PDB file of all heavy atoms in Angstrom:
ATOM      1  N   ILE A 100     122.910 113.383  21.958  1.00 85.00           N
ATOM      2  CA  ILE A 100     122.717 112.145  22.755  1.00 85.00           C
ATOM      3  C   ILE A 100     123.781 111.999  23.875  1.00 85.00           C
ATOM      4  O   ILE A 100     123.513 111.696  24.998  1.00 85.00           O
ATOM      5  CB  ILE A 100     122.784 110.905  21.853  1.00 85.00           C
ATOM      6  CG1 ILE A 100     121.531 110.920  20.906  1.00 85.00           C
ATOM      7  CG2 ILE A 100     122.773 109.610  22.668  1.00 85.00           C
ATOM      8  CD1 ILE A 100     121.531 109.871  19.856  1.00 85.00           C
ATOM      9  N   GLY A 424     117.825 127.172  42.186  1.00 88.00           N
ATOM     10  CA  GLY A 424     118.887 126.184  42.158  1.00 88.00           C
ATOM     11  C   GLY A 424     119.019 125.423  43.485  1.00 88.00           C
ATOM     12  O   GLY A 424     118.802 124.236  43.590  1.00 88.00           O
ATOM     13  N   THR A 470     115.643 129.078  15.849  1.00 89.00           N
ATOM     14  CA  THR A 470     116.742 129.902  16.216  1.00 89.00           C
ATOM     15  C   THR A 470     117.028 129.812  17.735  1.00 89.00           C
ATOM     16  O   THR A 470     116.120 129.537  18.497  1.00 89.00           O
ATOM     17  CB  THR A 470     116.561 131.400  15.848  1.00 89.00           C
ATOM     18  OG1 THR A 470     115.598 132.036  16.708  1.00 89.00           O
ATOM     19  CG2 THR A 470     116.129 131.551  14.384  1.00 89.00           C
ATOM     20  N   PRO A 494     105.066 126.250  50.132  1.00 86.00           N
ATOM     21  CA  PRO A 494     104.927 126.839  51.458  1.00 86.00           C
ATOM     22  C   PRO A 494     106.238 127.317  51.989  1.00 86.00           C
ATOM     23  O   PRO A 494     107.316 126.939  51.442  1.00 86.00           O
ATOM     24  CB  PRO A 494     104.443 125.645  52.306  1.00 86.00           C
ATOM     25  CG  PRO A 494     105.075 124.476  51.689  1.00 86.00           C
ATOM     26  CD  PRO A 494     105.185 124.762  50.208  1.00 86.00           C
ATOM     27  N   LEU A 507     102.537 120.647  58.624  1.00 77.00           N
ATOM     28  CA  LEU A 507     102.137 121.892  57.914  1.00 77.00           C
ATOM     29  C   LEU A 507     101.279 121.532  56.707  1.00 77.00           C
ATOM     30  O   LEU A 507     100.219 122.129  56.449  1.00 77.00           O
ATOM     31  CB  LEU A 507     103.382 122.676  57.426  1.00 77.00           C
ATOM     32  CG  LEU A 507     103.145 123.967  56.665  1.00 77.00           C
ATOM     33  CD1 LEU A 507     102.569 124.993  57.573  1.00 77.00           C
ATOM     34  CD2 LEU A 507     104.514 124.416  56.050  1.00 77.00           C
TER      35      LEU A 507
END
Side-chain angles (χ1 to χ4, degrees):
I100 293 172
T470 74
L507 181 69

